[in-house]
Amino acid sequence: MSSSKSKSDKRVVYQEFGNDNSAAVERPVQELPANQQNVRVQATRAGKKGKTVTVITGFQSKPETLTALLKQLKTQCGTGGTLKDNVIEIQGDHKQKILEILIKLGYKAKISGG
């Protein structure tokens, strides 16, 4: 027995379909039309070091669609933002403005929280 095995040596007993199964394991994202998506807009400070961010949740879209929407919202609000796990975060409290933009785009959007 050799004790100097490389770290890349994975002890796979049986593996089917090559080396990378990530595409087969991923769940497909069902792209729904904007008028069938129930989107929630909420301003929060939780976990943001006291800074207020507007969080938009409830999307059932592909990442490319959300990236384009994020860019449009950032431009309209004149601020920064990010996309994390199908949740859009816009810096600052822009609940009302974002709600109006989403409704114009055809989303069923509501403000949630206080």
Side-chain angles (χ1 to χ4, degrees):
M1 289 253 175
S2 175
S3 61
S4 63
K5 290 198 173 204
S6 67
K7 293 188 179 203
S8 65
D9 182 26
K10 297 178 183 177
R11 296 184 177 256
V12 178
V13 177
Y14 176 78
Q15 183 173 0
E16 192 172 355
F17 302 118
N19 294 334
D20 188 25
N21 292 359
S22 62
V25 177
E26 276 185 26
R27 290 184 177 172
V29 177
Q30 184 178 0
E31 178 90 26
L32 285 179
N35 61 358
Q36 293 182 7
Q37 296 187 35
N38 293 319
V39 179
R40 300 281 183 236
V41 180
Q42 178 180 14
T44 184
R45 291 173 137 171
K48 307 298 177 198
K49 299 180 183 173
K51 307 281 186 192
T52 304
V53 295
T54 306
V55 179
I56 311 155
T57 58
F59 288 108
Q60 294 181 358
S61 300
K62 294 183 179 176
E64 300 85 34
T65 308
L66 293 179
T67 305
L69 178 61
L70 171 67
K71 183 174 181 180
Q72 181 178 357
L73 291 174
K74 288 189 329 186
T75 312
Q76 299 257 333
C77 294
T79 186
T82 186
L83 174 65
K84 297 179 184 174
D85 301 324
N86 283 357
V87 174
I88 292 179
E89 295 180 1
I90 302 290
Q91 296 173 357
D93 186 357
H94 300 281
K95 288 187 295 192
Q96 204 60 43
K97 185 182 252 185
I98 289 174
L99 180 70
E100 292 170 9
I101 295 168
L102 290 174
I103 289 173
K104 282 181 186 174
L105 291 173
Y107 289 95
K108 290 194 290 187
K110 291 183 182 175
I111 292 181
S112 70

